[in-house]
Every structure is written in structure tokens, then in C-alpha cells.
Amino acid sequence: MRKSQYHLVILCTLLVNAFTTHSVLADQAGDHGTIQEQLIWVETVEGNGFIAQVPAIDSQLLVERIEQLRTELIQHQQQLTQAVEKTRLDTGDAVITVIMPGGLLYAGYRKREHTLAKNRLASVTDDIDELTRDLAASRNLASTVAQLD
């Protein structure tokens, strides 16, 4: 390829990149604008006189989303409970550990998988407990807002 052709290829590549980048950024800006337009903004005044605008929260929608997330986490918790039971060492694993060459490696792997499954289950259980507390607080907030209206 001649030197002028290299320059032409580079120029075309730069132009294509510039146009695609511009269109992607324009799409992202349009999406951001529509999200901003959907939010309802409320002014708050703090104790020191600082005024801020924050998006208003639909408490009923918040409660519904927390309930949905909690339901999904409970389903995930059930799956993890089954995974913990499947990875538990049993007599068959003990026999394999004793008989097979490399059995200790196998037992170590199974023990590691069981420990990881238990840790994941504990994490999801903690998340469910936290969401349950958040859900109770959100319901209290929703009832307080409903009484004020």
C-alpha cells in the first residue's frame, strides 16, 4: 500500500469513529434527559440553611420494589440451601477420599465448595434480613405519608 492510501484509511477510520461516538453520546444524553424529566424534584432545607434539590420518592413504589427484591432473594436463598446440601461431604466422599489417589485433594475441593456455598447462603440471609427491616420502615413511611395526605 502506498503512503497516501494509509493516510486515506486512517482518515476514514477516524471519521467513522467520530460519527459513531457522537451518535452514542447523543443517545446517552437523550436517555439521561428523559430520566431527569421523569423525576419530581423537591427542595429540602437543612438545619444550617443549606438548600438542596433531591428527587421525590414514591413510597408505595419503593415498597413494591423492596418486596420484589426480597422475593427474588428468598428464591435465591432456597437454591443456595440446596447447593449447601449437595456439596456436603458424605460417606461416599469419605470412601473416595480413602481409596482414590489424590483423594485428599478431592476432599479439600469438596470442603472448599461447601464452605463457599455456606458463605453465600449466609450473605443472602443477611441481605434478606436487612431488606425485611427496610420493608418495615418503608411501610411505616408509606402509612405516615398516607395519613398526612
Side-chain angles (χ1 to χ4, degrees):
M1 232 181 201
R2 292 189 313 242
K3 191 172 182 177
S4 62
Q5 290 177 335
Y6 284 122
H7 291 275
L8 183 60
V9 168
I10 291 172
L11 180 63
C12 289
T13 304
L14 288 174
L15 287 173
V16 168
N17 283 339
F19 286 125
T20 55
T21 303
H22 176 68
S23 65
V24 167
L25 290 175
D27 289 345
Q28 288 177 351
D31 292 343
H32 184 67
T34 56
I35 290 171
Q36 292 294 328
E37 291 169 3
Q38 291 174 355
L39 293 177
I40 299 171
W41 293 89
V42 177
E43 281 191 5
T44 61
V45 179
E46 295 183 6
N48 58 3
F50 182 71
I51 299 173
Q53 287 188 343
V54 294
I57 298 172
D58 181 6
S59 55
Q60 192 62 29
L61 180 62
L62 181 62
V63 168
E64 290 173 10
R65 287 190 179 170
I66 292 174
E67 286 176 346
Q68 179 185 7
L69 180 59
R70 185 174 176 275
T71 302
E72 291 171 4
L73 280 175
I74 288 173
Q75 291 172 352
H76 188 62
Q77 181 186 34
Q78 292 168 351
Q79 293 169 351
L80 287 174
T81 302
Q82 292 172 357
V84 166
E85 289 303 316
K86 286 180 184 177
T87 59
R88 189 179 307 273
L89 292 171
D90 57 6
T91 55
D93 293 324
V95 170
I96 290 173
T97 302
V98 172
I99 294 176
M100 263 180 59
L104 289 176
L105 290 174
Y106 171 77
Y109 171 78
R110 293 285 291 180
K111 176 70 175 162
R112 178 179 170 273
E113 290 299 313
H114 180 69
T115 303
L116 288 174
K118 282 177 28 179
N119 290 341
R120 283 188 218 118
L121 179 60
S123 175
V124 168
T125 302
D126 291 343
D127 291 344
I128 290 172
D129 292 342
E130 184 178 347
L131 277 178
T132 302
R133 288 189 299 273
D134 291 346
L135 188 59
S138 297
R139 284 184 179 147
N140 288 340
L141 176 67
S143 65
T144 302
V145 169
Q147 289 174 358
L148 292 176
D149 290 341

